[in-house]
Amino acid sequence: MDRRKATQRAWELVNKMTLEEKASQLRYDAPAIPRLGIPAYNWWNEALHGVARAGVATSFPQAIGMAAAFDVDLIKEIGGAIAEEGRAKYNAYVKHGDRDIYKGLTFWSPNVNIFRDPRWGRGHETYGEDPYLTSRLGVAYVKGLQGNGEVMKAAACAKHYAVHSGPEAVRHEFDAKATQKDMEETYLPAFEALVKEAKVESVMGAYNRTNGEPCCGSKTLIQDKLRGEWKFEGHFVSDCWAIRDFHENHMVTYTAKESAAMALNAGCDLNCGNTYLHILNAFQHGLVTEEAITQAAVRLFTTRYLLGLFDGSEYDAIGYDKVECQEHLALAHKISLKSIVMLKNDGILPLDKKKLKNIGVIGPNANSRAALVGNYHGTSSEYITVLEGIQRYLGEDVRVLYSEGCDLYREKTEVLAWPYDRLKEAQIVAENSDVVILCLGLDETLEGEEGDTGNSYASGDKSDLQIPLAQRKLMEAVAQTKKPVVLCMLAGSDLDMSYAAEHFDGILQLWYPGARGGKAAAEILFGEVSPSGKLPITFYESLDELPDFEDYSMEGRTYRFMKGKAQYPFGYGLTYSKVEVEEAFIQAEKEGALVTASVKNSGDMETDEVVQVYIKCTDSSYGTPNPQLCGFKRVHLRPGEEQKVSVFVPERSFTVVDDSGKRCKDGTQYELYVGCSQPDERSVELTGMSPVKVKMTKI
């Protein structure tokens, strides 16, 4: 069903409703209207990395981990699999009359905010710090989730619009002030791409204000930019209880009815929260018109018609057997393998089990289920921790010794014990092992959403880049044994790796690898598969070069604007082989340019690699200080194999943004870098390879 027909059907249905009935449908928990044959519908569902919060579903790596795969096609395939499970669950629930929260087909995903500061606790819900990477992966995910059938397979949502990335502690009252240049250059491109290219069905407003206006009641963001400039036709939803913040925290209105009116008049159709219970009161006081209420209801019912919820669809036959099916589990395993980033390898990896008698697996995240899944997750019927993955892989061939080593952040594991009561056990295990796998990091209780977890830190945000003190002491205790150590870091953000880089032989960034991610970790550790993930964020040496967390200026932030050297740069990640771009050619085209690169695996192991293209305009003062990502492609190469790889660079990459926020052509001279990393000094230092540099003129 096309949108025009769906909208017409929605108008016909809504026009049969009373004013009270129309207003009731603007709540996330929309009640049934039996006289019109309209069932209840709960709009709130989540699918960040699998169908969430509604029972069993396939658990994919957290979004930041999926981003590290740099694999557009796979992300789209995952979106389709998640939508299929969503349909399977919806079909089954409806048959049983269950229309509860988290059981609908309107998924409030993906999160395409820019991870501009490593302290933000929700950064692991995003696709990282780069607008181009975020746009490509976000568009792919939305297309996969919504499908290309007669009706939408599921409805995706671009969130949180806009300029939202902490601090969590003050988000309900915070005003994120961004220049027009930073808005167009960094904060808005992903949202624009999801609207224009992926036709995302909904957009969710953020809690904060942006340049003085509450995001869920912003004429500038919703009317002028989203619906006006970008021609967005779907529905707009508030973040949960964000409209209440207008009068309680932002202080831009005095009463709930004024807040409801402000949001509705700005174009917010759906209220996650209860402030739209005051819509009729606002109407009675002349603050909103019936036409505005009708328009919002029509947009919402248009979405329901587009999902085929009234007429049936091809997806109604999807059975419950698709939930956590073998095909989807295999897909989760595939992305888990591709997401793991090897940051350091002094020859210790891959491990050879034939040379091991005892292996020590140590750390609070070694056998932690919470560290597998991140936040906004579903339930798995099986969990495979790193410890369990190693045990299963080795079987009876190698003895696996284990120690928790320490609590995730508390100073002891037993209430009556001495402080750091598991350190000696960890040392004993290490001393009796040929090699140690040290599993550290965080979980959703230490980095996440304000009010959503029981974290002990700053409302989900991090105050610094240090892992908790108990884990730092564990690192030191294990290092004292002088045994070979591979650090496996399970976390969703930048943590200081300086001690590990100095004292340990290998470092793997596992992110939150999914419910069965321990299997992938073991296969990487023992060389069944070469690691091939790339960092979608910068790992900084310190926070010193960054502006204050509350400062939304991009100066000094992310790889595009930083002035110093990164600890581990955006786009960096090692493999078990050696893949290099030997030469590259660029051909200008009407809609951009085509980069053709010769890529060779001169190592002795087959591996995936990610060919990356970065661009810098050299004759415009408006370009970003450092080259920025403009294209990438994942390739698979056998030992000795050489491939010609083509990467298309869109015309937009040959534009810059001036100080007024206008995107324009201001230069003609460009430098493009083609390699397996970005062209910064630190990446060259770490990889021992430099990307190929090509100059071009493009008018």
Side-chain angles (χ1 to χ4, degrees), residues 146-162:
Q146 296 189 164
N148 58 359
E150 178 66 22
V151 302
M152 280 192 299
K153 201 172 186 180
C157 176
K159 69 181 188 185
H160 309 83
Y161 183 69

Side-chain angles (χ1 to χ4, degrees), residues 581-594:
V581 173
E582 297 187 325
E583 58 183 1
F585 304 95
I586 299 176
Q587 180 180 341
E589 296 190 353
K590 184 178 180 181
E591 301 299 325
L594 186 66

Side-chain angles (χ1 to χ4, degrees), residues 22-40:
K22 293 175 190 176
S24 75
Q25 297 300 300
L26 310 190
R27 295 161 29 194
Y28 77 93
D29 52 345
I33 306 177
R35 72 179 187 85
L36 296 176
I38 298 172

